Amino acid sequence: MKILGIVVLLSLIVPVAGAAQSIDVCYSELNVSCTGMRVSICPKGDFEHIRNGCGGDDDYIEIFVRHSGNGGIAGIPWTDYWMDACDAQYQLALCVQHFVADSLTDVNGRTTFSGRIAAGGCVPEGGIYVSCQGSTIMNTSCTAVICLDVVLVGPDLNADGEVNLSDLSFFGEVYNKELGDPGYNTCCDFNDDDMCNLSDFAFLGQHYQHECF
Ligand SMILES: [Ca+2]
Ligand SMILES: [Ca+2]
């Protein structure tokens, strides 16, 4: 009877232990709500929202964090994520040591990201990856990191955490160029019209001297 009691007790403990199971990056899932998401970012975190990343106001990046039993892991804090460029030639400099989720993960391990990103740098191609608690989310066959179809641009062009004169001089080199022109750089096109001109300069002016806080 005593042994049976221990077995019953253990069976009660196991689900609790399951909730603390570690992340399985291959069962976990990462999606973006639209193709061609493009978000302008600023070190101060006051440029575009991810939810506006495809032209509407309800876009998001979505994650399902799952354990090796393929169940969701609930209650993961919104600060336990990281993101960066998949292509190492591009620099993204997050101002804080996390990429902030909208909420704790729910019972399915799901949460979304739809707010602003406080960061410098530019990721014009190659996409971004997302990590949760240090584990980078992989595809279902576990053969490659998931690189979301997301482009990030911003006025801190040299990714040093501050929009200042050095960014302005970089911007000057691309000024009045458009897609197809030699030397054109999409990183200077903040309003996504394939041109780097006065409208983009105005955005740079709005975020001038903004820095990581
Ligand atoms: Ca800078
Ligand atoms: Ca433009």
Side-chain angles (χ1 to χ4, degrees):
M1 200 58 189
K2 199 171 185 177
I3 291 171
L4 183 64
I6 289 170
V7 170
V8 169
L9 191 62
L10 277 175
S11 70
L12 287 173
I13 289 170
V14 168
V16 175
Q21 273 181 300
S22 57
I23 297 163
D24 187 303
V25 294
C26 311
Y27 279 124
S28 296
E29 192 180 324
L30 188 63
N31 306 300
V32 58
S33 64
C34 56
T35 54
M37 176 178 279
R38 184 183 173 100
V39 181
S40 293
I41 57 175
C42 174
K44 196 179 172 185
D46 66 345
F47 215 152
E48 290 184 313
H49 288 86
I50 293 171
R51 64 172 172 268
N52 307 127
C54 294
D57 61 1
D58 56 357
D59 294 306
Y60 54 83
I61 291 169
E62 172 186 56
I63 194 168
F64 289 87
V65 185
R66 301 190 180 108
H67 55 69
S68 56
N70 203 14
I73 302 178
I76 292 178
W78 45 85
T79 53
D80 282 11
Y81 305 91
W82 179 252
M83 69 181 305
D84 208 341
C86 282
D87 187 332
Q89 72 173 297
Y90 300 119
Q91 276 188 296
L92 184 67
L94 290 192
C95 289
V96 284
Q97 293 302 308
H98 45 251
F99 172 40
V100 187
D102 297 329
S103 64
L104 299 176
T105 49
D106 65 14
V107 290
N108 298 312
R110 180 182 185 270
T111 189
T112 55
F113 305 83
S114 64
R116 288 162 157 162
I117 302 169
C122 176
V123 184
E125 59 189 7
I128 57 159
Y129 69 79
V130 176
S131 302
C132 177
Q133 296 178 346
S135 302
T136 301
I137 308 306
M138 310 269 294
N139 61 7
T140 45
S141 53
C142 220
T143 51
V145 164
I146 295 178
C147 292
L148 294 176
D149 178 23
V150 174
V151 168
L152 300 175
V153 299
D156 177 18
L157 293 156
N158 65 349
D160 66 352
E162 188 181 2
V163 184
N164 61 18
L165 203 58
S166 42
D167 304 302
L168 195 59
S169 73
F170 187 95
F171 186 85
E173 291 170 19
V174 188
Y175 194 68
N176 267 339
K177 291 188 163 80
E178 57 183 68
L179 186 66
D181 287 350
Y184 174 74
N185 189 329
T186 191
C187 292
C188 296
D189 178 20
F190 308 125
N191 64 347
D192 193 20
D193 63 356
D194 292 336
M195 289 184 282
C196 174
N197 59 18
L198 198 59
S199 330
D200 305 295
F201 184 67
F203 281 114
L204 196 148
Q206 282 172 21
H207 295 273
Y208 199 65
Q209 294 193 323
H210 286 188
E211 55 189 330
C212 291
F213 44 85

